[in-house]
Amino acid sequence: MSPRDTVEQSASPPARPRALRRAKPRAPSAAIFAFIAGNPTSLDSLDAAQEQADAVGRRRVDIPVRKSFVRSWDEESPAPLAEIYVGGQSGLVAVKLYLALLWRCAKTPYETDKPARAWATLLDLPDPNTKGARRVANALKTLQQAKLITVSAQAGHPNLVGLAMEDGSGRAYSPPASAYQFARTDQQKQRHMYFKVARELWLDGTIQALPGPALAMLLILLAERADKEPAWFSTAAFPRRYRISHKTRAEGTRQLVARGLLTTDRQPLASTKNASVYDEVRKRTLYRLTDRTFTGPNTNGG
């Protein structure tokens, strides 16, 4: 170093000590509020959800899911939700992981190579680096067998996971909103009808903490637009559409009500023309999701 360089360096103003630098104030995240409120979801999981939301940005604020994931349009075959969710924890992890992948893969080519431990952290699985990562690996196999994703090995890197259509057909994924707009026939429009899962349900830890029956019923009620208006099911139509047992339906409803996500109301059916005062009053249950599940409007009327 020359004497001139030494003089020029000594003449420059001294750096401000790090401790004295004034940091830009940062608003508390949803994770902090959820953690303070006593949410059972870990702070690591809430931080991972916020990091994912920041990475995705405005490309996918809420998570679009085609109705064909939860509802069978063909009564001969169940929808993917009923196939991969069998009431156990393994099926529950697969459903939550698929929702997380739909959230993450928001732009072409709709794929990601995030490691299994990262997904295990987001889903708040115990021991995310070991047991949790293995559960994610098993869930990926389940989703691959259901033709909901593709998995490609990468030497020296985590597997590359790509989205496939939510109906389990194995077709290449495309965003449902644009697909619906360009659909020409009613059958094509039906294939691309979708609902949205609120991002806030990830950011406040609700999705991570939901048990299986509650998550299944939440997705079904969102598909039935119960976040927009009261919904009801006929005894015969529900099992045909969703292939979910009566026990799962009842338990999931109870769990959603207990968590403040759903309200129910028993409403008497209109009397028939020849009704008698001695006839039994028939009633139906109306389901209405609370504002915690609300999202922006869909562009397909679904």
Side-chain angles (χ1 to χ4, degrees):
M1 182 180 292
S2 66
R4 181 177 180 182
D5 291 335
T6 305
V7 172
E8 287 181 351
Q9 284 193 358
S10 61
S12 61
R16 191 173 185 179
R18 183 177 297 274
L20 298 180
R21 293 177 184 171
R22 189 172 293 177
K24 183 178 179 180
R26 185 178 180 181
S29 67
I32 296 297
F33 286 121
F35 187 72
I36 293 174
N39 190 296
T41 304
S42 71
L43 192 54
D44 285 342
S45 174
L46 296 172
D47 284 342
Q50 185 62 59
E51 185 176 338
Q52 172 135 310
D54 294 340
V56 175
R58 301 297 301 177
R59 292 193 302 273
R60 184 156 287 181
V61 175
D62 297 311
I63 302 99
V65 185
R66 282 178 172 85
K67 287 186 176 183
S68 56
F69 178 64
V70 302
R71 176 175 176 172
S72 175
W73 301 107
D74 175 11
E75 295 184 3
E76 298 300 321
S77 56
L81 174 64
E83 286 192 324
I84 64 179
Y85 173 69
V86 292
Q89 287 298 314
S90 60
L92 176 60
V93 172
V95 174
K96 290 184 179 181
L97 179 59
Y98 188 59
L99 295 177
L101 289 168
L102 286 173
W103 183 16
R104 182 82 191 190
C105 302
K107 64 177 182 179
T108 185
Y110 309 112
E111 56 190 24
T112 180
D113 61 356
K114 297 305 177 186
R117 60 171 173 77
W119 296 116
T121 300
L122 173 63
L123 301 184
D124 206 22
L125 301 179
D127 302 319
N129 292 318
T130 53
K131 294 180 181 179
R134 286 196 294 269
R135 292 176 68 184
V136 166
N138 290 333
L140 287 171
K141 291 179 182 178
T142 299
L143 295 174
Q144 186 178 20
Q145 291 170 355
K147 297 182 180 180
L148 292 169
I149 62 171
T150 60
V151 180
S152 305
Q154 299 185 118
H157 298 280
N159 289 340
L160 184 66
V161 179
L163 289 179
M165 293 286 279
E166 296 98 319
D167 60 2
S169 64
R171 293 192 299 268
Y173 178 82
S174 63
S178 56
Y180 182 90
Q181 290 176 347
F182 289 109
R184 295 184 177 182
T185 66
D186 290 341
Q187 186 176 12
Q188 290 175 341
K189 289 178 182 291
Q190 183 185 73
R191 183 188 306 162
H192 299 299
M193 292 177 67
Y194 69 100
F195 59 91
K196 292 180 181 179
V197 179
R199 179 182 68 169
E200 292 301 318
L201 294 178
W202 283 100
L203 296 179
D204 67 11
T206 296
I207 294 288
Q208 296 92 313
L210 276 183
L215 181 59
M217 281 304 298
L218 174 64
L219 295 177
I220 289 171
L221 288 167
L222 287 171
E224 291 289 343
R225 295 175 50 87
D227 57 330
K228 306 290 192 298
E229 58 190 11
W232 65 279
F233 306 100
S234 73
T235 305
F238 185 87
R240 288 201 307 266
R241 289 180 182 178
Y242 300 109
R243 308 296 179 90
I244 297 296
S245 70
H246 175 75
K247 180 181 178 181
T248 297
R249 173 181 172 180
E251 183 66 11
T253 298
R254 185 190 64 80
Q255 292 169 348
L256 290 175
V257 170
R259 285 163 174 78
L261 297 170
L262 177 69
T263 61
T264 62
D265 183 36
R266 294 283 289 170
Q267 182 184 75
L269 294 175
S271 300
T272 60
K273 182 178 180 180
N274 299 321
S276 166
V277 69
Y278 296 104
D279 291 344
E280 180 183 359
V281 177
R282 299 175 58 200
K283 295 184 178 181
R284 66 183 178 186
T285 301
L286 295 180
Y287 301 84
R288 183 72 161 92
L289 291 168
T290 65
D291 57 5
R292 289 180 56 198
T293 68
F294 290 1
T295 62
N298 293 2
T299 58
N300 70 337

